[in-house]
Amino acid sequence: MSVVATMSISLDNIGTGLHQTEERPFGDVPEDALHRWMFDAPQENQPEIDAILGAGAYVMGRNMFGPVRGEWDRDWRGWWGPNPPYHAPVFVLTHYPHDPIEMEGGTTFHFVTDGIHAALDRAREAAGDLNIHIAGGPTTTNAYLAAGLVDELALQISPVVLGEGIRLLDGVGRLDLEPIAIRPTSLVTHARYRVRYPDGA
């Protein structure tokens, strides 16, 4: 079992935009800026899509799950409709308790209020022998990288410079990345690295 952080980013390290709303899941960044590879060329990128969707459990931040802030004052069930693509337990980091939400296809969203380590522990219990994916957004992935909890980093790098947004690696500190696989396609370059922490974490 490995903990794999996967993220679509721009050439300048941006994983999403500011000012997220329900109508704009990626904030000020157009959706097609970072995710065209997945929607416009799925067959060309099928191995990487399969790898993302083949995890035994997922961890994501609350903003990745939806635009609701503060107390859960509405029946929000994610961006993905009644059958989300994960088909496995998903552990959502939040400061506000929420009952689990069972969806079609085997996805259940569990809400974790006691931090990134607790969410990862629960994901380990749920994943069995399969990998755990840190599914974003960039702030959540950044926290796991900074804490020394990621074994592999899988980046989907789009050939675009966005200038402003939330950067994946800001403040993470030093990481030594050992390339495992690099594969360019027409819309994105897939780069997979083994993460080596200088302090041995």
Side-chain angles (χ1 to χ4, degrees), residues 2-5 145 150-155 175-182 191-198 201:
S2 295
V3 178
V4 180
L145 286 165
V150 174
D151 300 312
E152 295 182 13
L153 178 62
L155 299 177
L175 302 174
D176 294 327
L177 302 178
E178 175 188 340
I180 300 171
I182 306 290
R192 193 175 182 101
Y193 302 95
R194 187 168 291 109
V195 183
R196 304 295 192 192
Y197 294 92

Side-chain angles (χ1 to χ4, degrees), residues 36-117:
R36 280 187 62 206
W37 67 273
M38 184 180 292
F39 301 126
D40 292 356
Q43 292 183 333
E44 186 182 16
N45 298 283
Q46 198 63 53
E48 290 78 15
I49 293 172
D50 290 345
I52 291 170
L53 299 181
Y58 298 83
V59 178
M60 67 175 59
R62 182 165 175 177
N63 292 1
M64 178 76 176
F65 177 71
V68 182
R69 304 292 186 263
E71 296 286 351
W72 298 98
D73 57 0
R74 56 178 293 193
D75 183 26
W76 179 263
R77 294 172 172 262
W79 306 100
W80 304 278
N83 187 359
Y86 301 103
H87 299 173
V90 180
F91 298 91
V92 180
L93 293 159
T94 177
H95 295 294
Y96 298 89
H98 194 298
D99 291 334
I101 300 175
E102 293 187 16
M103 307 291 287
E104 296 175 13
T107 302
T108 300
F109 294 108
H110 303 271
F111 299 86
V112 181
T113 59
D114 42 358
I116 64 172
H117 290 84

Side-chain angles (χ1 to χ4, degrees), residues 134-149:
I134 309 301
T139 301
T140 293
T141 304
N142 179 291
Y144 277 98
L145 286 165
L149 298 173

